[in-house]
Amino acid sequence: MARVRLSVAERQGELLRAAVEQIEARGVAAVRIADVAAALGVSNALVLYHFSTKEKLVAAAFAHAAEDDLARLRKLLGRRTTALRRLRAAVRWYAPTGQAKGWRLWIEGWAVALREPALREVTRDLDRRWKAALAEVIAEGVSDGEFSCPDPQAAALRLTALLDGLAVQLTSYPGAVPRARAQEWVDEALARELGVARERLTGRA
């Protein structure tokens, strides 16, 4: 059966989704152009036509995955409710105990980014945009008098640093930290950064 002819954007999207799946299954170091091509039943040449090197394909795949996560974050932070509830929902979703991005994928990405400038720029941009989004809502909550936080940007940095660190522990060393305990630490950190009682985080959003 002949393949449907796709637009350039559609074809690239298809290739990027396949690349993300292959990276998650094989790891960045092991994945090959041939693996992505085989997953879709296309030629290596087609993959290389759109992404001239494996490094460019990997960087673009991570950027593609990042945009999906950022879209979900914007949706959570854009809800018509209090800043506290939006922050609680976003942090719990992003936490390694939640339903956010595939942490194994991102831990792989962080490791490879140490040696690959293109991927390092992607992960740095993602990190910057996550922190900026959280800091903006923290500042909004302070302005509205919901809670107190003298430095929203620093608070966002500390929160994401904790979440990323816990993700490494829970993903790389299963059982090292009980998931329930990790969630308690996340709630405690958010409450501490906002100067509120932890009990305020347990109500329904």
Side-chain angles (χ1 to χ4, degrees):
M1 182 177 178
R3 291 179 59 85
V4 175
R5 186 173 182 84
L6 302 178
S7 69
V8 171
E10 290 171 335
R11 176 67 74 191
Q12 289 181 346
E14 181 184 59
L15 292 170
L16 292 174
R17 288 189 294 274
V20 170
E21 291 174 359
Q22 291 300 310
I23 291 169
E24 289 177 331
R26 302 170 185 272
V28 175
V31 75
R32 304 169 303 162
I33 290 290
D35 297 321
V36 177
L40 294 174
V42 300
S43 67
N44 292 2
L46 178 65
V47 180
L48 290 170
Y49 172 79
H50 290 280
F51 305 97
S52 56
T53 65
K54 172 188 167 179
E55 290 72 25
K56 290 182 179 180
L57 173 63
V58 168
F62 273 89
H64 179 78
E67 288 302 328
D68 285 346
D69 289 338
L70 286 163
R72 175 61 175 163
L73 177 67
R74 286 191 291 268
K75 183 175 179 180
L76 288 170
L77 294 180
R79 293 165 61 192
R80 298 177 65 84
T81 185
T82 65
L84 179 61
R85 289 178 174 177
R86 283 179 281 151
L87 286 166
R88 184 191 68 185
V91 168
R92 287 187 175 180
W93 172 74
Y94 179 86
T97 53
Q99 300 299 315
K101 61 191 179 186
W103 280 106
R104 188 173 299 278
L105 173 71
W106 289 104
I107 292 170
E108 284 267 0
W110 292 333
V112 176
L114 294 172
R115 299 176 297 279
E116 294 290 346
L119 186 53
R120 183 163 59 247
E121 186 55 37
V122 168
T123 56
R124 178 185 295 149
D125 180 61
L126 170 66
D127 186 66
R128 181 170 55 243
R129 291 163 71 185
W130 270 89
K131 288 180 173 64
L134 291 176
E136 181 179 350
V137 179
I138 293 172
E140 181 184 331
V142 171
S143 178
D144 290 345
E146 286 188 47
F147 44 74
S148 175
C149 179
D151 190 340
Q153 291 185 338
L157 190 155
R158 287 189 292 267
L159 283 169
T160 53
L162 171 65
L163 296 170
D164 292 346
L166 285 174
V168 172
Q169 289 292 313
L170 269 67
T171 303
S172 302
Y173 312 112
V177 180
R179 297 179 71 83
R181 178 65 57 81
Q183 187 59 63
E184 288 176 6
W185 289 346
V186 170
D187 287 346
E188 289 169 359
L190 180 59
R192 183 168 56 250
E193 293 291 352
L194 303 182
V196 301
R198 184 184 165 195
E199 289 70 26
R200 286 186 62 187
L201 302 178
T202 61
R204 294 181 62 186

